[in-house]
Amino acid sequence: MWSIPSYLLAGMIVYGAIGWLLDRWLDTSAFFPIGTVLGLMLAGYLAYRKFSR
Amino acid sequence: MKLAATLLAAEEGEFNPLFPHTYELVVGIFAFLVVFFVVGRMLVPRIQKTLAERTDAIEGGIKRAEEAQAEAQALQRRYSEQLEEARRDAARLREEAREQAAQIKAELREEAQAEARRLVEAAHAQIEADRQAAFAQLRTEIGRLSTELAGRIVGESLEDEARQSRIVDRFLDELESSNAQAVR
Amino acid sequence: MITLTAPAHGDEFSAPTPNELFDLPPLIPGVEWFTKPVLLAVLSAILVIGLTWAAFSKPKLVPRGMQNVVEYGYMFVRDQVARPFLGKDADRFMGLLVTLFFLVLVWNLAGVIPVVQFPVASHIAFPAVLALSIYVLKIWLGIKHQGLGGYFKNMMFPPGLPKAIYVLLSPIEFLSNMIIAPFTHAVRLFANMFAGHMLLAFFSMVGFWFLFEKLTPLGAPVGIVGVVMTIIFTGFEIFIQFLQAFLFAMLASMYIGGSLHAEH
């Protein structure tokens, strides 16, 4: 229950970082916010599957 | 929000609340370890032992109470069994007495009936014998009377005994057979 | 209160800044390390040891006085913190969890005790060393009980998820458990104490300023509101301080439990 924030944070950091790297590499600016939101969603899904049982 | 604001504010000065001081880290770990060794390693095992003993004591008390209760129940069961047995004995004795009484009564009745029957039979036999005797006497009496009567009527004495007797017998047989229906 | 009287910059009311509230000078000039939070951390440790010693040094079957009180705390930690996450292993870790709960609770409560009025845990160093100790213990226990490979496999590949999605979720699991978790463990406690102290300082400052420093007919009601809010938030802070001490010990218990047994 109380470790959900750390999951959400971890999701945003992992996929935000991937997006940021993609942005730097491709010289774009869209992947960082996309990655952050995707990471948040994935982490939310993971937390839901882990703690809804 | 407040935290973010303070972080930004702090970067302007030298103070940053997210940056730990070295001496505080040392004091922190020292305080933690001392408390852990005294409280966690020395004192908590003592209270755990006491709690275990308390649980034992409570469980022991419950067990003793259960034993006492079981004993009381056994005793009660024994008493009620004895009582039941006594009651059964009494009932049995009563039943026996009743049966005996009935038997005695039946025997007595039987005896009385037999006695009565015997008396009746004796009376019957007596009557029969009396009747026989009276009959025999009557027969001779009638024979003599008839002979005398016949002799007087005929006027002559019947010397011939055999003949006389035969006549009388015949007369009597006729009399008897006609009488027999009348008497009975 | 001692620190609050100092920042009188002039005629204007100014809210207390984090620097004024948390960057405290040494108590003895020249001895740089000896600051108020350091002194309070040590005094709290001595207080915890003293109270627990008074209660548990010669424990009685029928508890009396101090033993009753501290035993109540012990039972709370055992039934609410240890047993839900550790089950039959609870007794092994009671020493650690009781230490954590009592120490953090006293550190936190120092924030509302009159005159003292500084939550030790609002300096991140103190929550950080505790969280770091738990973190090391967590990894050590995990490797000891599940094996090096098993520990990381169980952590990164929790059962019950569609297979294809592990590629996406395992990095989150790893980062969350290995890096973010100890960080949030410490920061949650720190941030709550920090913000709580800021709020209390602000409201008591309002009350002090408008009722004592610059008493005016217009300002007096504001000062009264400040005093009332200080009282309300002190009560609220006591609850938060208790809750955070409980949460800190509970998370420690949860991490230890997760290392002892792989997730179901």
Side-chain angles (χ1 to χ4, degrees):
Chain A
M1 246 310 261
W2 291 96
S3 53
I4 288 174
S6 73
Y7 276 111
L8 299 180
L9 216 56
M12 287 198 291
I13 289 172
V14 169
Y15 288 93
I18 292 172
W20 184 76
L21 287 174
L22 278 175
D23 276 344
R24 274 190 61 141
W25 184 40
L26 299 171
D27 204 17
T28 53
S29 60
F31 285 111
F32 175 63
I34 290 173
T36 309
V37 173
L38 181 73
L40 192 63
M41 283 162 62
L42 283 171
Y45 170 74
L46 177 62
Y48 171 75
R49 289 301 291 257
K50 276 182 86 103
F51 297 106
S52 65
R53 277 176 293 145
Chain B
M1 288 306 118
K2 212 170 198 61
L3 181 64
T6 56
L7 286 180
L8 287 176
E11 270 169 22
E12 289 162 16
E14 288 188 4
F15 173 67
N16 183 344
L18 273 178
F19 189 80
H21 299 283
T22 318
Y23 51 84
E24 284 183 354
L25 289 174
V26 174
V27 171
I29 195 84
F30 176 74
F32 170 60
L33 287 179
V34 170
V35 174
F36 176 64
F37 277 108
V38 177
V39 173
R41 280 289 154 97
M42 285 171 62
L43 296 172
V44 164
R46 289 190 194 176
I47 191 65
Q48 282 176 334
K49 191 162 157 278
T50 303
L51 288 177
E53 279 168 7
R54 188 182 301 163
T55 309
D56 278 355
I58 290 167
E59 275 174 1
I62 290 169
K63 209 171 158 199
R64 273 197 297 280
E66 274 171 356
E67 274 168 7
Q69 202 178 8
E71 202 175 320
Q73 272 174 352
L75 204 64
Q76 199 197 358
R77 200 158 47 238
R78 208 157 59 234
Y79 280 154
S80 65
E81 269 169 12
Q82 282 174 351
L83 196 66
E84 188 62 27
E85 205 179 298
R87 212 173 271 149
R88 253 198 323 271
D89 281 355
R92 193 168 46 78
L93 286 174
R94 214 157 46 228
E95 193 59 30
E96 273 177 14
R98 195 182 294 128
E99 274 174 13
Q100 260 173 3
Q103 204 182 339
I104 287 165
K105 216 148 74 181
E107 275 172 7
L108 282 176
R109 189 187 288 131
E110 194 72 13
E111 252 172 53
Q113 277 175 346
E115 180 68 18
R117 217 161 27 240
R118 200 169 47 78
L119 284 174
V120 169
E121 273 167 11
H124 276 298
Q126 184 64 43
I127 290 165
E128 184 64 20
D130 285 355
R131 197 172 67 94
Q132 292 287 347
F135 202 67
Q137 198 178 353
L138 201 60
R139 178 178 287 184
T140 48
E141 198 72 8
I142 286 171
R144 195 179 50 81
L145 283 174
S146 311
T147 315
E148 203 181 302
L149 183 64
R152 272 187 202 159
I153 295 166
V154 179
E156 70 180 76
S157 175
L158 293 173
E159 299 307 313
D160 192 353
E161 273 293 321
R163 203 169 140 207
Q164 187 184 355
S165 167
R166 213 162 43 240
I167 291 168
V168 170
D169 277 349
R170 204 182 324 138
F171 168 74
L172 279 178
D173 279 342
E174 284 166 12
L175 194 73
E176 195 174 21
S177 62
S178 66
N179 261 8
Q181 275 121 14
V183 169
R184 290 179 191 245
Chain C
M1 277 301 164
I2 299 159
T3 53
L4 294 185
T5 51
H9 300 297
D11 290 346
E12 289 293 303
F13 170 77
S14 64
T17 65
N19 289 38
E20 291 164 2
L21 288 176
F22 296 103
D23 196 11
L24 303 168
L27 291 174
I28 303 167
V31 189
E32 207 206 311
W33 59 272
F34 193 62
T35 56
K36 190 177 178 183
V38 169
L39 174 68
L40 289 180
V42 174
L43 285 179
S44 301
I46 291 169
L47 183 70
V48 169
I49 290 174
L51 288 180
T52 320
W53 186 272
F56 291 170
S57 65
K58 291 187 186 70
K60 306 277 187 300
L61 271 188
V62 180
R64 268 204 192 80
M66 206 59 220
Q67 191 187 341
N68 238 334
V69 178
V70 183
E71 211 174 79
Y72 190 80
Y74 176 90
M75 293 295 191
F76 173 76
V77 174
R78 190 189 67 184
D79 296 339
Q80 304 298 322
V81 175
R83 286 191 172 165
F85 299 98
L86 297 172
K88 59 181 168 50
D89 295 315
D91 276 357
R92 266 173 67 201
F93 293 98
M94 272 310 289
L96 176 67
L97 295 174
V98 162
T99 303
L100 282 176
F101 179 70
F102 285 178
L103 192 60
V104 173
L105 185 63
V106 174
W107 277 356
N108 288 353
L109 286 175
V112 292
I113 292 168
V115 184
V116 176
Q117 277 166 324
F118 187 84
V120 180
S122 68
H123 270 207
I124 195 164
F126 299 103
V129 288
L130 297 187
L132 191 72
S133 310
I134 302 301
Y135 180 66
V136 172
L137 178 69
K138 170 177 100 165
I139 293 175
W140 185 70
L141 282 173
I143 292 170
K144 189 183 160 202
H145 284 267
Q146 301 177 34
L148 187 63
Y151 178 48
F152 284 99
K153 188 185 154 290
N154 288 332
M155 182 207 297
M156 290 170 66
F157 301 96
L161 288 173
K163 278 211 163 47
I165 216 156
Y166 279 126
V167 184
L168 295 173
L169 296 185
S170 292
I172 300 179
E173 279 279 3
F174 181 81
L175 192 72
S176 168
N177 282 304
M178 285 291 105
I179 292 155
I180 309 288
F183 185 73
T184 51
H185 193 195
V187 167
R188 179 183 282 117
L189 174 59
F190 151 75
N192 272 283
M193 292 306 105
F194 188 91
H197 189 53
M198 291 274 294
L199 272 176
L200 278 186
F202 175 76
F203 284 119
S204 54
M205 185 79 164
V206 167
F208 187 78
W209 180 269
F210 286 101
L211 288 181
F212 293 98
E213 288 280 313
K214 295 277 182 284
L215 184 59
T216 57
L218 265 175
V222 181
I224 289 167
V225 168
V227 170
V228 170
M229 289 303 273
T230 306
I231 293 166
I232 291 171
F233 270 89
T234 300
F236 181 65
E237 265 307 300
I238 292 172
F239 167 69
I240 292 292
Q241 285 160 348
F242 179 83
L243 182 74
Q244 289 302 323
F246 165 64
L247 269 181
F248 195 86
M250 197 200 82
L251 282 168
S253 172
M254 207 174 91
Y255 294 150
I256 292 169
S259 290
L260 290 182
H261 316 286
E263 282 180 53
H264 30 275

